[in-house]
């Protein structure tokens, strides 16, 4: 790697920062353009380090601002990161340490990193490529309330067997919405769950027949929930069909569709790798299976050189386990 024009510490001083990066931060900021996993706890300066890495790469002409993609979970976090990076890049230009190529801002659109939420980024991919999977590109994105209302409509109109379902309509609706969302985040179908539940319950019946007496707690927390979940799988399937028929989707559907696009059409990943040479993934410990597949297929497909992906996370701050996220994603980053 060519020696940098300016170190991370000297750059911080040139930009007038009160606190230069620590030795640990410097190692991250000045890391080569290759995949990098950063594991750090709350309050350790992860956002500042991500910002400093982008600015350092730009200052040393290793990338241009528009070749940087940053993703995080909330609009607030994305806005804060975008504002911090933009302000720092503006200061960088004012100091004369770096000047953008003249053609970058010729049309008024270039010269800035793309910083967004995971779902907004997936939404852009879906709008551009949905037709390739037989979906309308202008499919309407349902709000949380609209998602529940549509599921409730499907539950009320369900004409299949309901005699074994002794729950209130609202309870069944909540279960349909929840299970449909989890299936999308895990890239699974109702058929996958039915096959697993059928196999597992059959095994448990064999165990019971052999004289094994399950505890009351085991029955109430394992066997009964699995049995009840099987009952609503046909309703979940009808709900999925209804969304497809009406050209609507929720956030989980959008992410699953983006992952399918990336998996089936390698040219999509090539276009994104050509567009973004550096990718910053914030809160990596909370990515779901669908998000992991999307990122892998776009930026680290099998048999291709991976993009310079920097994933940042804290295993003690994983809050989305209900939708398939797990701190173990940090360990499986390679």
């Amino acid at each position: 790697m060519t020696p940098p024009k300016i170190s991370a510490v000297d750059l911080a001083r040139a930009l007038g920062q009160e606190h230069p990066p620590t030795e640990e931060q410097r190692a991250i900021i000045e890391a080569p353009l290759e995949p990098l996993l950063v594991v750090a706890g709350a309050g350790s300066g992860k956002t500042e380090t991500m910002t400093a890495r982008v600015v350092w790469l730009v200052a040393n002409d290793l990338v241009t601002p528009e070749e940087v993609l940053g993703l995080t979970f909330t609009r607030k976090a994305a806005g804060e990161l975008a504002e911090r990076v933009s302000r720092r890049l503006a200061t960088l230009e004012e100091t004369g340490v770096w000047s953008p190529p003249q053609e970058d801002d010729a049309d008024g659109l270039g010269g800035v990193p793309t910083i967004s939420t995971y779902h907004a980024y997936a939404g852009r991919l879906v709008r551009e490529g949905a037709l390739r999977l037989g979906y309308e590109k202008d499919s309407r994105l349902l709000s949380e309330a609209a998602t529940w209302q549509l599921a409730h409509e499907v539950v009320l109109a369900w004409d299949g067997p309901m005699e074994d379902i002794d729950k209130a309509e609202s309870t069944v609706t909540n279960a349909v919405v929840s299970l449909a969302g989890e299936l999308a985040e895990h890239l699974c179908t109702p058929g996958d769950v039915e096959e697993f539940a059928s196999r597992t319950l059959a095994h448990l019946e064999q165990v019971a027949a052999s004289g094994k007496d399950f505890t009351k707690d085991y029955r109430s927390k394992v066997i009964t929930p699995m049995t009840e979940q099987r009952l609503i799988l046909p309703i979940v399937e009808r709900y999925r069909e209804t969304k497809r028929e009406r050209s609507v989707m929720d956030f989980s559907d959008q992410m699953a569709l983006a992952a399918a696009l990336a998996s089936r059409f390698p040219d999509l990943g090539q276009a994104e790798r050509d567009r973004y040479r550096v990718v910053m993934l914030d809160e990596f410990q909370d990515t779901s299976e669908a998000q992991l597949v999307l990122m892998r297929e776009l930026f680290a497909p099998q048999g291709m050189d991976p993009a310079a992906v920097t994933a940042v996370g804290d295993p003690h701050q994983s809050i989305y386990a209900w939708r398939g996220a797990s701190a173990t994603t940090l360990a499986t980053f390679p």
Side-chain angles (χ1 to χ4, degrees), residues 31-333:
L33 283 174
E34 58 189 31
L36 174 68
L37 175 66
V38 180
V39 180
S44 58
K46 294 191 292 293
T47 303
E48 168 57 31
T49 304
M50 291 171 66
T51 302
R53 175 158 172 75
V54 171
V55 176
W56 182 83
L57 290 170
V58 171
N60 283 282
D61 295 322
L62 295 173
V63 298
T64 58
E66 61 269 28
E67 291 177 322
V68 177
L69 171 66
L71 299 178
T72 188
F73 275 95
T74 67
R75 287 192 294 269
K76 179 181 178 182
E80 290 175 349
L81 181 59
E83 195 276 333
R84 188 180 298 201
V85 170
S86 298
R87 186 174 65 244
R88 196 76 57 82
L89 288 174
T91 303
L92 179 68
E93 188 174 352
E94 291 170 3
T95 61
V97 175
W98 169 82
S99 297
Q102 291 300 310
E103 66 272 20
D104 276 1
D105 290 319
D107 59 4
L109 297 175
V112 295
T114 297
I115 298 179
S116 173
T117 64
Y118 286 95
H119 279 100
Y121 177 66
R124 193 261 292 175
L125 297 175
V126 169
R127 286 192 300 275
E128 294 177 356
L131 287 174
R132 303 175 80 172
L133 289 177
Y135 286 79
E136 294 296 330
K137 65 178 182 178
D138 57 351
S139 293
R140 183 165 58 92
L141 189 62
L142 296 172
S143 66
E144 187 174 340
T147 296
W148 195 93
Q149 289 173 343
L150 180 59
H152 189 57
E153 178 186 330
V154 171
V155 170
L156 291 177
W158 177 247
D159 55 1
M162 292 285 286
E163 57 271 13
D164 292 326
I165 302 178
D166 59 355
K167 307 294 184 182
E169 291 170 353
S170 60
T171 302
V172 176
T173 300
N174 288 332
V176 168
V177 171
S178 176
L179 183 53
E182 288 192 53
L183 287 172
E185 293 285 1
H186 286 79
L187 301 179
C188 293
T189 67
D192 295 327
V193 177
E194 169 60 32
E195 191 276 332
F196 173 79
S198 177
R199 187 176 69 249
T200 303
L201 290 172
H203 171 71
L204 293 175
E205 288 175 2
Q206 291 179 351
V207 173
S210 67
K212 171 72 174 180
D213 186 23
F214 295 116
T215 64
K216 182 178 180 181
D217 192 52
Y218 189 85
R219 288 187 179 280
S220 65
K221 292 185 177 181
V222 178
I223 298 176
T224 299
M226 190 176 294
T227 302
E228 291 179 346
Q229 188 180 67
R230 290 182 71 190
L231 297 175
I232 68 166
L233 285 174
I235 308 177
V236 172
E237 184 60 49
R238 177 71 62 83
Y239 171 58
R240 284 158 51 101
E241 293 170 354
T242 301
K243 285 190 290 184
R244 181 75 179 267
E245 292 167 357
R246 299 188 185 183
S247 294
V248 297
M249 64 179 69
D250 57 29
F251 286 109
S252 296
D253 297 328
Q254 191 178 64
M255 189 60 67
L257 191 56
L261 282 167
S263 300
R264 291 181 53 180
F265 302 102
D267 62 300
L268 178 61
Q270 186 62 59
E272 293 302 291
R273 292 191 299 279
D274 290 342
R275 183 174 184 178
Y276 302 114
R277 295 183 57 220
V278 170
V279 182
M280 312 292 287
L281 303 179
D282 194 19
E283 305 292 356
F284 188 69
Q285 78 281 346
D286 280 329
T287 46
S288 67
E289 177 66 13
Q291 289 165 331
L292 283 172
V293 170
L294 175 61
M295 293 297 108
R296 184 189 69 220
E297 295 301 323
L298 291 180
F299 300 110
Q302 188 173 8
M304 302 288 289
D305 291 333
V309 177
T310 298
V312 182
D314 176 6
H316 300 297
Q317 288 185 289
S318 182
I319 61 175
Y320 291 120
W322 55 271
R323 64 129 199 253
S326 169
T328 58
T329 56
L330 295 170
T332 57
F333 176 76

